[in-house]
Every structure is written in structure tokens, then in C-alpha cells.
Amino acid sequence: MPFLGYAQWRRFTEAIEQARAVIIAEQGNEAADLALCRYRQEGTGGAPREDYQLSRYAAYLTAMRGDSRKPEIREALVYFAVRTREAETAPALPDLSTPTGVLALAEHYVATARQLVEADTKIRALEPKALAHDTLMAAQDGDVLVRQAAKLLGWAEKQLRVFLIDEGLVYRRQATCGAAQYDFYAAHADCFNAVERVVEHTWGSCAHYTLHLTPRGIAFVQMRIEKRRAEMAAAIEQAG
């Protein structure tokens, strides 16, 4: 009653009864009894008081039958108009009492699940790039070992070394003592560093070189990896 701006119960019940008359005319007495449940409210003292329990539709009709000069009535009508529009534009739920409705709901959940899987796959694909980028930004003044670079790129160290050789970026050679080591081609000197370490043997000493990737090299290798993946994907699509 106060929400609709009424101070007197009698005037408010007049609007409610007018709403009841509309429902009876449209849907019958039974519908009116369901929409406007009238009952006697027991108080703490004195005679029992009459009250109503209104459905949303009954409350809407009561507002429509109210005094339109009241600002509360106008606000209520706007509220019901907005809510009605939201209900009209909301997607309809399938009828779950039928197999077709159950199937429609299941297909909706499957479509949503597929979207979640695709989003998760994209995130996982971008993780190595993001990690390499973060490392590049944090390592502007320092290089990383091949095994560290492999970890950043989500590869095994051996796999990355083979890739670098296949791409013509580095090559394998032997130290004087016969130990295997890797060096880079001069064309990619800005991507790699070979750190020299002198190893003492019983017969003498020899130089060992440990390959490092520069921050620029990490980004360059990542670009080569993406290029290789794109080429493989195109070849598979063409073969299929």
C-alpha cells in the first residue's frame, strides 16, 4: 500500500477489487482467487484485519487501476513495463516435459561446453608466447641457456636443439677432447652467444662453449616455431 502511495486502506482495496474484476472478466473467478488471495490476518489485539496476497499480474493491474496522479503509481507502471519487456525479450526455455525440449537443452549445454573447451585451448596455446614475452622483458640484460629457453617455450631441451639445427640457426661440433657442443651461424649472432669455458684435462686444456639465447633470440625462435606450426597445419589441411 505505501509503495503505491496510498494512505487509506479503503481506497487501496478499491483499486485491488477493480483489478479482481478485470481478472474475472478475462479468466474467470478461479484465476482471480489465485491472483488475489484474500484472507483475514489475526492481529495482536482487536478484530482480525483483512489483507491480500497479490500475484505479480494482480499487482500490475492494481497499479493500473490506481490514481495516476500519484508519482508512486507512475513509477510502478514504469517498473512493470520494464519487467514485462525484459520477460518478452528473454530467450524462451525449452519444454522439458518433452524429449524435444530435453534434447534442445542438452544441445545448448553441449554448445556452451564446446565454447569453454575452445577458449581453454586458445589460452593454453598462448601461454608459451606469454611466458616467452615475459621472460624477454625481464631478461633484457641477460641470456638464457638452451634448457631454460626450452622450458620457457614448453619444449624438451633435446627437441629444441634439433629444431634449431633443422632451422639452420645452430650447428653441432666437437671440442678438442671430443665432447659435443653447439655453436651458432654468424648470420644469427644477435640471437645467440657461445660462452667459453676452459676445461683442464690430464693431457692439457681445451675450450668448451655453452650456447645461450639472447632475449632477441628467444623471440626469434618463437617466431620460427609459429611459422613451422602454420606450415604443418596448412600441409595437413591440403592433404585432407
Side-chain angles (χ1 to χ4, degrees):
M1 185 176 74
F3 290 149
L4 293 182
Y6 284 93
Q8 297 181 8
W9 175 251
R10 180 180 60 81
R11 297 296 303 272
F12 187 48
T13 57
E14 290 176 359
I16 293 176
E17 289 302 324
Q18 290 178 21
R20 173 186 290 275
V22 172
I23 298 176
I24 291 174
E26 292 179 349
Q27 304 177 33
N29 289 320
E30 185 176 351
D33 291 338
L34 292 175
L36 294 94
C37 180
R38 181 165 48 188
Y39 61 94
R40 303 286 288 179
Q41 183 183 45
E42 298 294 335
T44 56
R49 293 184 301 173
E50 184 180 65
D51 207 344
Y52 293 86
Q53 183 173 4
L54 308 179
S55 68
R56 177 178 291 273
Y57 180 56
Y60 170 61
L61 290 178
T62 300
M64 288 188 66
R65 293 300 181 274
D67 187 351
S68 60
R69 293 172 299 180
K70 297 179 181 293
E72 294 89 348
I73 291 291
R74 293 195 294 270
E75 292 174 3
L77 292 175
V78 171
Y79 167 80
F80 283 114
V82 170
R83 291 300 186 185
T84 300
R85 180 57 181 167
E86 289 177 351
E88 290 174 348
T89 57
L93 293 176
D95 184 3
L96 299 182
S97 64
T98 65
T100 302
V102 174
L103 177 61
L105 183 63
E107 289 176 343
H108 172 73
Y109 283 128
V110 169
T112 303
R114 290 187 188 278
Q115 293 174 359
L116 292 174
V117 170
E118 291 174 1
D120 183 68
T121 301
K122 290 179 180 179
I123 291 173
R124 291 180 183 276
L126 290 174
E127 281 178 350
K129 293 183 181 180
L131 185 57
H133 178 268
D134 292 344
T135 302
L136 176 62
M137 295 298 101
Q140 292 292 340
D141 298 327
D143 305 335
V144 296
L145 295 168
V146 175
R147 67 171 178 271
Q148 294 172 319
K151 184 177 181 180
L152 293 173
L153 298 171
W155 284 29
E157 179 182 357
K158 182 177 180 181
Q159 182 185 17
L160 180 59
R161 289 187 184 276
V162 171
F163 177 81
L164 295 176
I165 292 175
D166 290 345
E167 289 290 305
L169 304 177
V170 304
Y171 59 94
R172 189 174 185 271
R173 68 175 185 174
Q174 288 184 332
T176 304
C177 65
Q181 56 186 7
Y182 296 85
D183 204 347
F184 58 90
Y185 291 102
H188 303 293
D190 57 342
C191 295
F192 301 94
N193 277 325
V195 180
E196 181 180 11
R197 179 170 60 91
V198 176
V199 178
E200 298 293 337
H201 298 282
T202 55
W203 49 265
S205 61
C206 69
H208 286 218
Y209 293 90
T210 304
L211 189 65
H212 288 71
L213 279 79
T214 66
R216 180 183 179 87
I218 296 175
F220 182 71
V221 171
Q222 178 67 51
M223 182 185 68
R224 286 293 189 95
I225 291 174
E226 294 300 324
K227 180 182 178 183
R228 174 76 70 87
R229 287 174 176 169
E231 292 173 348
M232 292 178 62
I236 293 173
E237 183 177 356
Q238 185 176 5

